[in-house]
Amino acid sequence: MKKYGLCIPMVLLFFACQQRKAKNEVDIVKSPSEQVNGFLGTSGDHGQMSPAAASPFNMISIGPVTHPGTHTGYDYYAKEFLGFVHTHIEGVGCRGGGGNILVKPIGNEEVDEKLLKKHESAKPGYYKATFENGISAEMATDHNYGVHQYHFPESGKMLKVDLAYAFLNRFEEAQHTAVGNTIKGWVDTKTVCDRGRYRLYFYMEFDHVSTISKSQKDSYVIYGTGNPTIGLRIGFSSVNEEFAKTRVVNGGSLSKTIEKSTLAWNALLGHAKVEGEADRVALFYSLLYRGLQSPYVVSEPDGSYKAIDGTIQKSKDSVYHGWAIWDNYREQMPLLSLLYPQKYGDIVRSIANLYPYGKNDWSTQFEPSNSVRTEHAQVVLLDALEKGHELPLIKIKDSLIKEIDKLDFGSPDKALESSYDLWASSKLMLSIGDTMLANEYLNKALDYKTYWEKDFSDMAWPDVDRMGARGLYQGTLWQYRWFVPFDIEGLQSLAGGESAFREQLDQFFEENNYNHANQPDLQVPGLYNATKEPWKSQQLYRELMLDTVVQAYFNNNSKGIDPYIGRIYNNSPRAYLKTMDDDMGTMSSWFVLRAMGFSAVNVGEPVYYVTAPIFKEVELNWSSQKSFKIQVSNYHKDHFYIKSVQLNGKPLQRNWLTHQEIMNGGELIVETDSVPNLNWGTENQFLTKVSIEKD
């Protein structure tokens, strides 16, 4: 009896410990970076992303090249690897860009042995792959610094370094030398779409190598020693080799670099804390991660940077580069302004700083990093100005005027887009006291009505749903007709009034004319917020984020060719619609903003429409110690209609908030329901409008 009496308490203690262990395992909360799926959008033409080891706003990202590959040189389902490269410009057109400096581990110099994938893993700042021949590769990044570790099944192996490698054969020329266990120099490469050129200075240092031998004009073979590991540390700079070398000299080990990058990612991703269904949280952070990789910080610790005319300049602010403004001014820039105001200030001042050195719509021959295009930069400048950021507008006034003088009105879409630029420039000129020019530009902007009535009024023409009709770029007449974000009130009037405008929106969506695979009509689902039926925007946002939809357009196809039925945003390698590029964080940011409950009304005005978050709780945090918390009452994962809203304890009947109201901090309580409240959001509506009429 005594024996069994001792045993029973021990058994109870054992089960109690097991229960506590299980509870603790359930209670473990993953950090934001642990939620990120590094393989989202990495297969086929479904996002054009890479799983590369990347740190925030950093032009060096180290990742695999596969055969076959996509815009980023990689496809998740490919098995054969060609090696690893150091630059990726994520999710852009013209078949991508970057891919500088290919490194390939090889087991036998005499045999062209293929690297066949056995397993791979990726997380923010880190990538690892193992191969069937026993070789494994790990890599991590810090700011403009990267570390490789190659492990071989036996000693005496080697690396091949190809300095002339770049995606789409865009390599131009290089200059380099090898001394001891180092290689240093620079490489010149064409930018995305072959419009310009960028130069990267590099410094590479190898561990556990016996010799470095030049095998061809721009390639080397690095021979290992008796150690089965070869290490590589690499630094980049847009200014000179010395800065690149300093990064290597001061750089940490693989483990320290992983740790540093993880801390940096968690700090940035943690500006938005969300609580809800695990799959939604993971998708949210995976997409937020994609919105924080560009533009790139290209200035050095002493403030020096290369301007786009090739001269070396200095700045007290961090200087950014790597632009796709035609795409991401619509969504990524508003997201950055909301979550990272200090960085956003430096980013927009970097955009303003393009003007004194010869800004044009595409790249120059002296870019400090890979880049794409900069149309609608003045819209971004106005948006920043309205959100309280200081800009050197007087200094760049003449350049702003020259840019406006070159606006193109030659096609229906260009006419509307150029009118938007005129409206923005009018506001900029007004802010620096030039009322005459401001009125001139605003009157010209109002000419959009003439262009609209000519091409967008009559939707009975047979070409209205044909992609590229009448010279349109990546859109149809149906999709572009709504692009007057600065004058929604005027657009409603042109359409025949609010009721007719709403009926035409209904037709647009009922006939599946909306195209989420590209940017021209991204703002249209939110236009019901400017009508008597804002609940329809609430419904559309939820469907486009999480539900099954019908999409009829892909790239430049016309309607009726193999439509897609399913979800647009998937946390998988085939994440997006076919031909839907992320465009340097644009489409990811569209989701992130609306998942939190916001959408920009009009870039250039500091106002957001309010929609129902897809989470129980959202909290925005800033370095100022302020926070803005959004709580969803009557929460249900399938409820997306807003029943009521309270801002800081007071009922809010309007369906919009100003940027400053959010930045002031506070609490927003959104009560949701399964049926729409037909009255909420119909009072005190925010419609953009032009305050003067044409003379």
Side-chain angles (χ1 to χ4, degrees), residues 336-510:
L336 296 179
S337 77
L338 192 62
L339 290 183
Y340 314 99
Q342 183 174 351
K343 292 183 183 297
Y344 178 72
D346 287 342
I347 288 169
V348 294
R349 281 186 286 275
S350 298
I351 294 172
N353 195 47
L354 297 172
Y355 285 91
Y357 301 104
K359 175 192 174 296
N360 55 38
D361 287 347
W362 293 83
S363 301
T364 72
Q365 296 301 310
F366 302 99
E367 299 291 314
S369 71
N370 203 354
S371 193
V372 190
R373 53 196 305 184
T374 61
E375 296 100 321
H376 300 310
Q378 296 201 35
V379 174
V380 179
L381 297 182
L382 175 61
D383 196 58
L385 186 70
E386 294 287 343
K387 291 173 180 175
H389 296 278
E390 294 184 4
L391 297 171
L393 295 177
I394 294 176
K395 177 183 175 182
I396 64 174
K397 178 183 177 181
D398 289 346
S399 297
L400 295 173
I401 293 171
K402 288 179 181 178
E403 184 171 69
I404 291 298
D405 288 343
K406 294 189 294 184
L407 287 175
D408 182 2
F409 295 82
S411 59
D413 55 333
K414 289 289 188 183
L416 295 186
E417 289 184 348
S418 294
S419 298
Y420 189 17
D421 289 331
L422 279 165
W423 168 81
S425 186
S426 170
K427 293 266 193 175
L428 293 176
M429 294 301 153
L430 189 63
S431 74
I432 56 178
D434 193 333
T435 55
M436 183 179 297
L437 204 53
N439 285 331
E440 178 186 334
Y441 286 166
L442 193 56
N443 282 323
K444 286 183 180 179
L446 283 169
D447 285 342
Y448 85 83
K449 295 179 180 181
T450 301
Y451 295 110
W452 196 93
E453 288 178 329
K454 173 180 177 292
D455 281 297
F456 299 106
S457 179
D458 185 357
M459 300 307 288
W461 288 93
D463 64 349
V464 295
D465 60 358
R466 192 173 76 237
M467 189 71 70
R470 307 183 203 178
L472 299 176
Y473 177 68
Q474 295 184 338
T476 68
L477 290 162
W478 257 120
Q479 290 153 15
Y480 268 107
R481 79 187 303 259
W482 315 100
F483 195 76
V484 191
F486 61 94
D487 190 16
I488 298 174
E489 185 178 85
L491 182 61
Q492 286 190 0
S493 178
L494 286 171
E498 186 274 341
S499 179
F501 179 79
R502 186 161 25 97
E503 290 174 2
Q504 291 164 30
L505 276 175
D506 289 342
Q507 181 184 355
F508 178 70
F509 287 104
E510 287 168 3

Side-chain angles (χ1 to χ4, degrees), residues 178 200 215 443 491 542 557 604:
L200 293 175
S215 58
N443 282 323
L491 182 61
R542 186 60 63 95
N557 73 289

Side-chain angles (χ1 to χ4, degrees), residues 409-662:
F409 295 82
S411 59
D413 55 333
K414 289 289 188 183
L416 295 186
E417 289 184 348
S418 294
S419 298
Y420 189 17
D421 289 331
L422 279 165
W423 168 81
S425 186
S426 170
K427 293 266 193 175
L428 293 176
M429 294 301 153
L430 189 63
S431 74
I432 56 178
D434 193 333
T435 55
M436 183 179 297
L437 204 53
N439 285 331
E440 178 186 334
Y441 286 166
L442 193 56
N443 282 323
K444 286 183 180 179
L446 283 169
D447 285 342
Y448 85 83
K449 295 179 180 181
T450 301
Y451 295 110
W452 196 93
E453 288 178 329
K454 173 180 177 292
D455 281 297
F456 299 106
S457 179
D458 185 357
M459 300 307 288
W461 288 93
D463 64 349
V464 295
D465 60 358
R466 192 173 76 237
M467 189 71 70
R470 307 183 203 178
L472 299 176
Y473 177 68
Q474 295 184 338
T476 68
L477 290 162
W478 257 120
Q479 290 153 15
Y480 268 107
R481 79 187 303 259
W482 315 100
F483 195 76
V484 191
F486 61 94
D487 190 16
I488 298 174
E489 185 178 85
L491 182 61
Q492 286 190 0
S493 178
L494 286 171
E498 186 274 341
S499 179
F501 179 79
R502 186 161 25 97
E503 290 174 2
Q504 291 164 30
L505 276 175
D506 289 342
Q507 181 184 355
F508 178 70
F509 287 104
E510 287 168 3
E511 294 180 355
N512 299 316
N513 289 315
Y514 175 69
N515 177 18
H516 202 80
N518 220 310
Q519 284 82 30
D521 58 353
L522 281 184
Q523 86 287 357
V524 183
L527 287 179
Y528 283 108
N529 283 305
T531 74
K532 293 179 180 179
E533 295 180 323
W535 59 269
K536 288 184 177 179
S537 283
Q538 300 161 24
Q539 179 182 12
L540 277 169
Y541 284 152
R542 186 60 63 95
E543 289 176 353
L544 292 167
M545 283 190 285
L546 297 174
D547 208 347
T548 296
V549 296
V550 177
Q551 289 284 282
Y553 295 94
F554 312 98
N555 201 2
N556 287 322
N557 73 289
S558 292
K559 195 174 180 182
I561 301 175
D562 191 22
Y564 171 79
I565 303 173
R567 280 182 56 160
I568 294 176
Y569 290 92
N570 300 281
N571 196 358
S572 64
R574 290 176 180 158
Y576 292 165
L577 305 171
K578 60 184 179 182
T579 77
M580 177 177 161
D581 297 343
D582 191 41
D583 283 318
M584 295 177 77
T586 304
M587 309 308 269
S588 296
S589 298
W590 187 98
F591 180 99
V592 170
L593 277 168
R594 286 151 188 80
M596 296 190 298
F598 304 114
S599 64
V601 176
N602 169 44
V603 181
E605 301 214 34
V607 180
Y608 305 88
Y609 285 133
V610 176
T611 193
I614 67 172
F615 304 107
K616 297 177 184 177
E617 186 175 297
V618 176
E619 185 174 350
L620 311 185
N621 299 285
W622 302 285
S623 56
S624 63
Q625 304 303 313
K626 291 182 180 179
S627 67
F628 189 81
K629 182 177 288 188
I630 307 164
Q631 291 188 319
V632 179
S633 65
N634 191 35
Y635 177 81
H636 187 284
K637 68 181 183 65
D638 296 325
H639 288 181
F640 48 79
Y641 293 117
I642 294 178
K643 185 176 182 180
S644 67
V645 176
Q646 288 187 352
L647 175 62
N648 297 325
K650 296 180 180 180
L652 185 75
Q653 294 300 323
R654 53 185 164 92
N655 63 338
W656 52 274
L657 292 172
T658 67
H659 183 78
Q660 194 58 51
E661 283 177 316
I662 299 171

Side-chain angles (χ1 to χ4, degrees), residues 70 84 94 102 140 150 187 232 259 284 580 647 650 656 661:
T70 59
F84 304 91
C94 290
L102 180 74
Y150 295 95
V187 294
L232 163 60
E259 180 182 350
F284 175 86
M580 177 177 161
L647 175 62
K650 296 180 180 180
W656 52 274
E661 283 177 316

